[in-house]
């Protein structure tokens, strides 16, 4: 029994996660390659390996002929009869080849075939393992800077690359520091899997909430949309599929514990969590939080919206360097035009809002309401425009 071989294969199977069958197949191919290198061809060579014991046998199937012209493919009738008297012309005789017959070069080549197969399988196993993690969040250990701007992060069995474009401006990492990253892409290369990761991708925030908030992981709370300016602020719209579960509250957690865990992982990045609404006007109103809104006029077809806010809320609605309005636009997919109450009155945009307010106040007078409705329809096509008015403070 070839116990040493089987023990070696079992060690490889455990340590490298390469199946024993694959390695036995590699040995089989290496023996055929050794025959080819030694004899010049191996078309008629057959290898049999006992998967339990590791014993193997190499035979060349030779045709019985009167006059041998190709000793590799043919055997003389007299020689065949010596092995078994029942052989006749045209029969196939299996002739065992002893591995000791192989020359040093043929043996070395066979060894190289096995090693090459082991390396290929190692790369394949690693690629499969990390390909499964593509578009997911993993924890790695900062190794070093590759060049000036690319960070090498050890993920266990491979090093991932965090390029300058995927780094958050201002974030600094020290060697051995543990950090969570989003796996952008896993490529299969001759040197093993090449893993590209990110700290700026919006999906990083989503995955972090999935790990922190059980309701999100279970699908009770859905993260409908995310807009992010990495390192500064993220806006996230959430929705609950269970009327008994508050989506925003679930993501914030008791005393902000859940959202703070994500904020800490993102080194203090601010996160606004708002309620998703199918009505685009209400969604836009929520998205502009923390600013208070008087009115939103949204056109779903044109993907545009006019928003009116109190004069003292204009700078808050727009945000520092326009960030709040910019993130709200990305979150909702609408181009948002924000005006103060005074600006809206001067531009005449406030007339429609006042007409609707008048209609609500005097709805006891059916004829008055009808007149206001007609007046409103003259200015706006109700199929194209949805209006949301602020009824109270945002939750």
């Amino acid at each position: 029994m070839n116990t040493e071989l089987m023990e070696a294969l079992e060690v490889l199977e455990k340590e490298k996660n390469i199946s024993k069958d694959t390695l036995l197949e590699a040995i089989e191919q290496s023996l055929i390659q050794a025959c080819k290198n030694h004899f010049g061809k191996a078309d008629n060579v057959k290898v049999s390996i006992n998967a339990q014991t590791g014993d193997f046998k190499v035979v060349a199937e030779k045709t019985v002929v009167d006059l041998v012209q190709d000793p590799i493919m043919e055997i003389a009738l007299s020689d065949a009869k010596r092995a078994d008297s029942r052989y006749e012309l045209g029969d196939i005789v299996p002739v065992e080849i002893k591995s000791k017959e192989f020359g040093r070069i043929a043996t070395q080549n066979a060894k190289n075939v096995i090693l090459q197969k082991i390396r290929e399988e190692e790369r394949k196993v690693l690629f499969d393992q990390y390909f499964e993690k593509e578009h997911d969040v993993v924890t790695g250990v900062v190794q070093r800077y590759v060049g000036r701007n690319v960070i090498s992060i050890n993920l266990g069995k491979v090093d991932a690359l965090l390029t300058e474009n995927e780094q958050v401006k201002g974030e600094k990492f020290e060697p051995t520091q543990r950090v969570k990253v989003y796996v952008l892409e896993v490529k299969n290369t001759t040197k093993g899997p090449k893993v590209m990761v990110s700290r700026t991708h919006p999906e990083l925030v989503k995955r972090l909430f999935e790990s922190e908030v059980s309701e999100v992981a279970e699908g009770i709370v859905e993260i409908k949309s995310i807009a992010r300016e990495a390192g500064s602020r993220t806006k996230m719209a959430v929705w609950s599929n269970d009327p008994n579960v508050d989506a925003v509250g679930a993501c914030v957690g008791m005393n902000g514990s859940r959202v703070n865990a994500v904020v800490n992982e993102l080194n203090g990045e601010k996160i606004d969590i708002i309620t998703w609404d199918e009505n685009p006007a209400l969604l836009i109103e929520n998205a502009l939080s923390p600013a208070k809104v008087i009115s939103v006029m949204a056109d779903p077809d044109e993907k545009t919206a006019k928003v009116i806010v109190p004069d003292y809320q204009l700078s808050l609605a727009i945000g520092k360097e326009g960030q709040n309005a910019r993130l709200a636009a990305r979150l909702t997919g609408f181009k948002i035009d924000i005006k103060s109450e005074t600006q809206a009155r001067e531009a005449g945009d406030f007339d429609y809002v006042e007409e609707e307010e008048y209609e609500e106040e005097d709805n006891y007078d059916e004829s008055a309401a009808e007149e206001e409705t007609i007046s409103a329809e003259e200015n706006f096509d109700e199929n194209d425009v949805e209006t949301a008015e602020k009824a109270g403070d945002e939750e």
Side-chain angles (χ1 to χ4, degrees), residues 129-276:
Q129 184 180 339
Y130 283 91
F131 186 72
E132 287 178 5
K133 299 178 188 293
E134 200 172 66
H135 308 314
D136 208 346
V137 168
V138 295
T139 302
V141 177
V142 176
Q143 294 283 89
R144 63 193 183 282
Y145 275 85
V146 182
R148 202 168 64 178
N149 299 315
V150 180
I151 301 173
S152 173
I153 297 175
N154 184 269
L155 301 182
K157 293 181 180 177
V158 301
D159 285 353
L161 296 178
L162 181 64
T163 62
E164 186 180 15
N165 291 340
E166 299 301 333
Q167 293 172 34
V168 175
K169 201 171 286 186
E171 265 191 350
K172 298 292 180 186
F173 298 111
E174 297 297 326
T176 73
Q177 184 178 340
R178 294 177 69 82
V179 62
K180 287 185 178 177
V181 290
Y182 178 76
V183 181
L184 279 176
E185 186 181 20
V186 182
K187 291 180 181 177
N188 202 2
T189 73
T190 52
K191 294 182 180 178
K194 184 180 180 182
V195 184
M196 307 303 293
V197 294
S198 173
R199 284 280 295 172
T200 62
H201 203 286
E203 283 288 309
L204 173 61
V205 180
K206 184 176 182 179
R207 298 296 183 201
L208 289 174
F209 271 101
E210 284 176 359
S211 63
E212 288 293 336
V213 183
S214 57
E215 290 87 346
V216 174
E218 292 165 10
I220 297 169
V221 172
E222 283 184 62
I223 297 173
K224 290 282 195 177
S225 180
I226 289 183
R228 184 183 184 203
E229 291 191 357
S232 180
R233 184 181 289 273
T234 289
K235 279 186 183 284
M236 184 172 80
V238 295
W239 174 259
S240 175
N241 292 311
D242 184 341
N244 298 316
V245 176
D246 173 23
V248 174
C251 292
V252 171
M254 188 74 72
N255 297 322
S257 59
R258 288 171 165 179
V259 71
N260 285 339
V262 177
V263 167
N264 291 338
E265 183 56 48
L266 299 175
N267 292 326
E269 184 174 315
K270 295 178 178 65
I271 299 176
D272 298 339
I273 304 171
I274 62 121
T275 302
W276 171 269

Side-chain angles (χ1 to χ4, degrees), residues 54-75:
D55 293 332
F56 61 87
K57 190 176 183 181
V58 183
V59 297
E61 296 179 338
K62 299 186 178 185
T63 305
V64 179
V65 294
D66 266 332
L67 183 62
V68 175
Q69 294 179 328
D70 185 349
I72 297 167
M73 305 295 291
E74 298 168 344
I75 184 171

